[in-house]
Amino acid sequence: MAVTAGMVKELRESTGAGMMDCKKALEETNGDMEKAVEVLREKGLAKAAKKAGRIAAEGLVESYIHGGRIGVLVEVNSETDFVAKNDEFKQFVKDVAMQIAASNPLYIRREEVSEEVIQKEKEILRAQALNEGKPEKIVDKMVEGRIDKFFKEVCLLEQPFIRDPDITIQDLLNQKIAKIGENLSIRRFMRFEVGEGIEKKEENFAEEVAKQINS
């Protein structure tokens, strides 16, 4: 059964879960609304969504340094200071910092990506598809699929979790919200890499050896 936008909207309104989570649940259950609700509840997504509107202003700022070459600062919020001291929450924040170091996201969620960036990326993807010789009539559909892949690469919440690629960071966040019982939010991050943004001099080793021989 084809999953329609109306079905996704109905499931979202009844559970409070995210749009993409609702769509996945409906696809998984072949459009069965009741079973889709069960899937969301089993994953803790419906429960997590109900907490999403609550204010999370406590939390932790965590740092992670990898080999002295990559450094990350990330702020993850909780509703209470009590949870901020919880070992499960602390481990989650560390995992998020490591994820950022390893996967180099540019944004937390796709809503943060400007329309200008999206349109520019679509233009590039469209040109690539045409250069591959794809028929004009299917290029737009291909671009939509590839722009979705782009979001999964650059948006932290949509990236596969480095410790368990079968789930995304959003899935992990929802699991922690359901388990800990408070709204949690990844608020902001900064990632630094040695030499980033600096035009590096290309070493010409053949020339260097020649100089040593002739000296």
Side-chain angles (χ1 to χ4, degrees):
M1 181 178 178
V3 175
T4 66
M7 294 166 65
V8 174
K9 182 181 178 183
E10 182 183 344
L11 183 60
R12 187 178 186 183
E13 288 174 351
S14 66
T15 63
M19 182 177 69
M20 295 304 296
D21 293 319
C22 289
K23 184 180 179 184
K24 287 178 184 177
L26 285 165
E27 289 173 344
E28 187 177 326
T29 59
N30 198 30
D32 189 310
M33 196 66 66
E34 289 186 10
K35 288 183 179 178
V37 171
E38 289 178 12
V39 167
L40 290 172
R41 285 178 176 166
E42 286 171 3
K43 294 181 178 179
L45 298 177
K47 187 176 178 182
K50 291 177 182 177
K51 294 181 175 66
R54 303 198 319 221
I55 296 173
E58 296 295 334
L60 288 175
V61 172
E62 181 65 64
S63 63
Y64 174 73
I65 307 295
H66 183 80
R69 299 191 62 82
I70 297 174
V72 170
L73 280 175
V74 61
E75 177 183 349
V76 181
N77 298 129
S78 60
E79 291 180 48
T80 65
D81 184 53
F82 176 76
V83 163
K85 297 174 181 176
N86 176 284
D87 287 341
E88 179 113 12
F89 177 76
K90 289 180 179 179
Q91 184 59 53
F92 171 65
V93 179
K94 287 179 181 178
D95 285 340
V96 170
M98 290 178 65
Q99 176 77 29
I100 294 166
S103 301
N104 194 18
L106 302 178
Y107 311 91
I108 295 175
R109 52 189 61 82
R110 67 170 62 190
E111 289 80 6
E112 296 174 1
V113 186
S114 71
E115 190 60 32
E116 182 181 355
V117 169
I118 294 172
Q119 288 306 317
K120 185 175 181 180
E121 188 65 24
K122 282 184 176 181
E123 288 172 11
I124 294 170
L125 293 172
R126 183 177 176 80
Q128 287 176 349
L130 290 172
N131 289 336
E132 290 169 6
K134 305 298 182 185
E136 179 83 27
K137 60 182 179 181
I138 69 166
V139 164
D140 289 338
K141 185 175 288 188
M142 288 183 63
V143 168
E144 289 306 313
R146 291 181 179 182
I147 199 70
D148 196 54
K149 183 180 179 183
F150 166 74
F151 284 131
K152 291 176 182 178
E153 289 174 352
V154 302
C155 299
L156 173 65
L157 292 177
E158 300 192 31
Q159 291 181 340
F161 180 33
I162 54 173
R163 291 185 183 275
D164 182 1
D166 290 334
I167 64 172
T168 64
I169 296 298
Q170 180 68 69
D171 293 332
L172 180 66
L173 175 62
N174 290 335
Q175 289 174 8
K176 297 305 176 184
I177 291 172
K179 187 171 183 179
I180 292 173
E182 283 194 9
N183 183 28
L184 309 176
S185 173
I186 303 171
R187 186 178 176 220
R188 53 185 172 174
F189 68 86
M190 289 291 291
R191 182 183 184 277
F192 305 90
E193 186 168 348
V194 171
E196 193 172 32
I198 300 174
E199 188 175 341
K200 299 178 183 178
K201 179 183 176 183
E202 290 188 16
E203 299 291 341
N204 188 324
F205 293 107
E207 184 179 322
E208 185 179 325
V209 172
K211 284 181 179 179
Q212 289 178 354
I213 292 173
N214 294 327
S215 61

